[in-house]
């Protein structure tokens, strides 16, 4: 299986990439912009591995995203890339809207175009990764969040992630992706 992982140089992403390549034997295309949160050195040990490829691409570059799909022809996408951290979103919300909302839109569009070009699109999957921040806060005595908990974002970060969640759901409901 060939999996396109966005945000693969981040903390969670790099661990996922390593698991997929080393433990699962998957072929991984790691797409990362390499911002403050991404560190290509965290996966330096995978350089030269035939099942690993790195693409430095910004999710806001729609043409570059389409080119990655054309070049690598993945079987699945695992979308982890996001601007994160509540405090950073308060200081500079624009980058969160661009990456988390516009970037997710661009990725969904590129994936949709690619998926429609496949002779057997039923085997293609798109997994969008969210955050518990979209549900708001819990008091110490409250039960944990579930998938049916209403959205209640309270920061530009959580609102931008909630928006990206809604986009991903919509591309499934409207287009079948």
């Amino acid at each position: 299986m060939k999996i396109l992982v966005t945000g693969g140089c981040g903390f969670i992403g790099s661990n996922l990439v390593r698991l997929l390549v080393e433990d699962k034997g998957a072929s991984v295309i790691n797409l990362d912009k390499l911002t403050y949160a991404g560190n290509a050195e965290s996966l330096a040990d995978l350089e030269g591995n035939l099942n690993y490829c790195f693409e430095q691409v910004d999710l806001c570059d729609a043409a570059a995203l389409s080119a990655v799909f054309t070049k690598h022809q993945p079987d699945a996408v695992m979308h982890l890339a996001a601007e994160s951290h509540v405090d950073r979103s308060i200081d500079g919300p624009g980058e969160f809207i661009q990456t988390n909302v516009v970037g997710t839109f661009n990725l969904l569009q590129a994936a949709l175009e690619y998926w429609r070009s496949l002779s057997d699109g039923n085997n293609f999957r798109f997994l969008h990764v969210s955050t518990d921040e979209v549900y708001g806060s819990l008091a110490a005595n409250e039960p944990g969040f579930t998938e049916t908990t209403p959205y209640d974002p309270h920061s530009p970060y959580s609102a931008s992630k909630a928006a990206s969640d809604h986009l991903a759901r919509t591309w499934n409901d409207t287009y079948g992706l």
Side-chain angles (χ1 to χ4, degrees):
M1 175 168 266
K2 190 183 293 186
I3 304 169
L4 173 64
V5 176
T6 68
C9 289
F11 176 73
I12 295 171
S14 63
N15 284 287
L16 173 63
V17 166
R18 186 169 284 102
L19 174 83
L20 292 171
V21 171
E22 294 179 344
D23 295 352
K24 303 300 179 186
S27 180
V28 174
I29 304 99
N30 174 8
L31 188 146
D32 202 297
K33 183 179 173 183
L34 293 180
T35 63
Y36 68 94
N39 181 358
E41 291 301 311
S42 63
L43 292 168
D45 57 309
L46 292 182
E47 287 181 27
N49 187 314
L50 297 178
N51 285 341
Y52 177 74
C53 177
F54 175 70
E55 295 280 355
Q56 186 171 354
V57 173
D58 184 343
L59 292 176
C60 292
D61 186 343
L65 287 174
S66 291
V68 167
F69 277 93
T70 300
K71 177 180 177 183
H72 295 286
Q73 301 184 353
D75 300 306
V77 173
M78 297 179 83
H79 179 36
L80 283 73
E83 292 290 334
S84 61
H85 305 299
V86 171
D87 291 344
R88 288 188 69 254
S89 77
I90 294 166
D91 293 338
E95 191 67 28
F96 286 72
I97 301 303
Q98 285 302 306
T99 298
N100 299 350
V101 181
V102 176
T104 297
F105 164 76
N106 288 338
L107 183 64
L108 286 164
Q109 282 296 94
L112 179 62
E113 179 182 318
Y114 169 72
W115 175 62
R116 286 178 168 170
S117 76
L118 298 173
S119 60
D120 185 12
N122 290 334
N123 293 325
F124 181 78
R125 295 291 179 262
F126 188 105
L127 173 71
H128 173 78
V129 177
S130 188
T131 175
D132 66 339
E133 293 279 341
V134 300
Y135 300 118
S137 300
L138 286 175
N141 60 346
E142 288 183 288
F145 298 125
T146 70
E147 289 83 0
T148 60
T149 301
Y151 277 53
D152 190 24
H154 289 274
S155 70
Y157 166 57
S158 59
S160 68
K161 286 298 291 179
S164 70
D165 292 355
H166 291 305
L167 289 173
R169 175 176 284 174
T170 299
W171 261 243
N172 175 257
D173 291 345
T174 303
Y175 305 110
L177 179 67

